[in-house]
Amino acid sequence: MKRALFAAVSLLALSCAASAQQMDEESLRALILQTIRDNPEVIMEAIETLQAQEAEAQAAAAAAALTAQMGALQNDPNAPVLGNPDGDITVVEFFDYNCGYCRRVFPNVKALMEEDTNIRVVMREWPILGEESVFAARASLASRKQGKYEEFHNALMGANGRASQAVVLSIADDLGMDIDQLRADMESPEVDAHINTSRQLTQALGVNGTPAFVFEDQLVPGAIELEQMKQLVEELRG
């Protein structure tokens, strides 16, 4: 905001004085102050214009980043896929098992896949809420080796309270998993790679919280409602 204000008043002052280049610093400062007093509405218009230009530049940068990362987002063989693996619309979700908003949006994602059998959902584990989240994400990714990812994911998202180590291992035990194997697989290079890739993708896209979705070429942050998801899918197909 300060940069925009300085730029706005400077541009306005220079536009009001053709000989501004020949003015000394004190005279130019006085001209700028007088311009602000005489034209407050013009200053605000200039600021709004600069802010709009900045917003457009940010949007263009985000679109370019999405295009550049599309392959990694949609086709990472190290990312679990739910729904229809051959679906015509791909949705990518960044989430954390200890994120309340992720849990809130979980039924919406599940309902979308159940109601639309042509949706492909790429799961991107992005544990950002402490060591318990890291443990949960590693365990969830490791559960793939035992063919339990979707069941494990659903149970973690539906759990009460935090996804602590005790809760995670209890769920694994309830699902009949081999706990020793799970612990070993949690330290695999594939698990490390998935979490690191999630971190790199969010940095590239400017994502700063969970949940965050990518509907094909559209970045949609936040716990969005089911109807909004359906609308996005309909627009993409249209």
Side-chain angles (χ1 to χ4, degrees), residues 135-183:
F135 187 91
R138 285 185 169 278
S140 182
L141 290 166
S143 72
R144 298 175 69 191
K145 293 288 184 70
Q146 300 185 47
K148 297 285 188 177
Y149 180 83
E150 185 167 8
E151 295 173 76
F152 201 82
H153 172 77
N154 292 348
L156 279 172
M157 279 298 182
N160 294 320
R162 287 187 64 81
S164 64
Q165 180 172 334
V167 168
V168 169
L169 294 179
S170 176
I171 288 173
D173 187 56
D174 290 343
L175 292 175
M177 298 177 65
D178 183 325
I179 303 300
D180 290 336
Q181 180 186 340
L182 182 71
R183 284 186 176 276

Side-chain angles (χ1 to χ4, degrees), residues 86-116:
D86 300 314
D88 67 329
I89 298 295
T90 296
V91 179
V92 182
E93 180 185 4
F94 292 89
F95 64 93
D96 183 308
Y97 286 114
N98 282 312
C99 165
Y101 294 105
C102 297
R103 290 186 177 185
R104 182 185 302 176
V105 81
F106 165 68
N108 299 342
V109 177
K110 191 174 180 181
L112 180 68
M113 290 187 291
E114 290 171 351
E115 295 181 24
D116 188 331

Side-chain angles (χ1 to χ4, degrees), residues 221-234:
I224 58 178
E225 298 298 328
L226 176 59
E227 289 306 314
Q228 185 178 351
M229 292 182 181
K230 290 180 180 179
Q231 183 178 352
L232 285 164
V233 170
E234 183 179 348

